[in-house]
Amino acid sequence: MISEQECIFCKIVRGEIPSKKIYEDHDVIAFLDINPANPGHCLVVPKKHSETISDTDDEVLEKAIVVTKKLATVVKEKLNADGVNIVQNNGRHAGQLVSHIHFHIIPRFPDDKVLITYQRVQMDENALNEMQKKLTEEGKKESRSDWDMRF
Ligand code: 5GP
Ligand code: ZN
């Protein structure tokens, strides 16, 4: 676990390292990705440090997703993009390099070179039923989740 002192996005929030800021309010900032998938690739970052979506307060997430929506719309319109991908990685094996929650906004253009891809696994009816059971099973509330998983 990385400390707020060392965290690169916390340093950007504190103004200790520069960024090409696109948006800022009390809770959220957005800036250009230093190594974009396409020109205009932005990162929306809650100012309060947390690592993954599961660690992040609901109120913080709500603010960040609304900024993500608005900025995605601006990016699409101003860059005349065909569409946008919103990407949010959690954990090293999900491709998270920076351990401070963020949403990617990636503008997309016809014939661009961006790859957002995954192979599919085969699951038969039984396996799908088992998975459904596993994800809806009652009486096994984990410490972190205080909501009702039967949403
Ligand atoms: P992740 O893989 O964690 O979802 O994405 C991290 C993103 O942060 C990457 O796309 C990377 O290019 C970007 N990034 C890493 N360090 C910096 C930085 O110092 N400044 C900016 N603007 N972007 C960064
Ligand atoms: Zn941080």
Side-chain angles (χ1 to χ4, degrees):
M1 193 135 70
I2 195 161
S3 73
E4 289 176 40
Q5 212 50 37
E6 291 168 284
C7 171
I8 192 123
F9 285 176
C10 283
K11 286 183 181 175
I12 288 176
V13 168
R14 292 194 296 264
E16 291 169 11
I17 61 172
S19 67
K20 302 291 182 200
K21 232 177 264 179
I22 304 295
Y23 174 85
E24 178 165 19
D25 65 27
H26 185 264
D27 305 290
V28 179
I29 61 169
F31 47 85
L32 293 177
D33 195 299
I34 204 166
N35 192 13
N38 257 341
H41 180 166
C42 295
L43 300 173
V44 176
V45 179
K47 289 184 175 178
K48 186 176 173 193
H49 181 88
S50 60
E51 194 164 329
T52 68
I53 194 165
S54 304
D55 306 325
T56 305
D57 295 342
D58 291 355
E59 303 73 39
V60 171
L61 277 176
E62 282 165 16
K63 285 176 173 149
I65 199 65
V66 171
V67 171
T68 302
K69 171 195 168 178
K70 290 183 175 163
L71 185 53
T73 308
V74 168
V75 165
K76 182 174 181 293
E77 283 173 5
K78 291 223 174 181
L79 303 184
N80 205 16
D82 187 57
V84 285
N85 288 112
I86 308 300
V87 176
Q88 202 276 307
N89 300 321
N90 298 282
R92 189 159 60 91
H93 293 287
Q96 185 175 15
L97 298 174
V98 175
S99 300
H100 180 133
I101 185 167
H102 52 280
F103 293 82
H104 296 254
I105 298 172
I106 304 173
R108 301 300 305 270
F109 304 94
D111 303 321
D112 67 21
K113 300 287 181 278
V114 178
L115 286 179
I116 297 175
T117 185
Y118 31 86
Q119 292 186 337
R120 308 295 178 143
V121 294
Q122 293 295 324
M123 289 185 82
D124 61 20
E125 180 73 14
N126 260 349
L128 287 170
N129 284 340
E130 281 304 309
M131 183 54 70
Q132 183 187 30
K133 202 165 139 205
K134 192 168 184 173
L135 295 179
T136 56
E137 209 167 13
E138 290 174 45
K140 280 203 175 176
K141 295 221 163 99
E142 302 297 336
S143 56
R144 183 185 282 147
S145 47
D146 56 359
W147 62 58
D148 186 335
M149 286 300 288
R150 291 164 293 165
F151 51 92

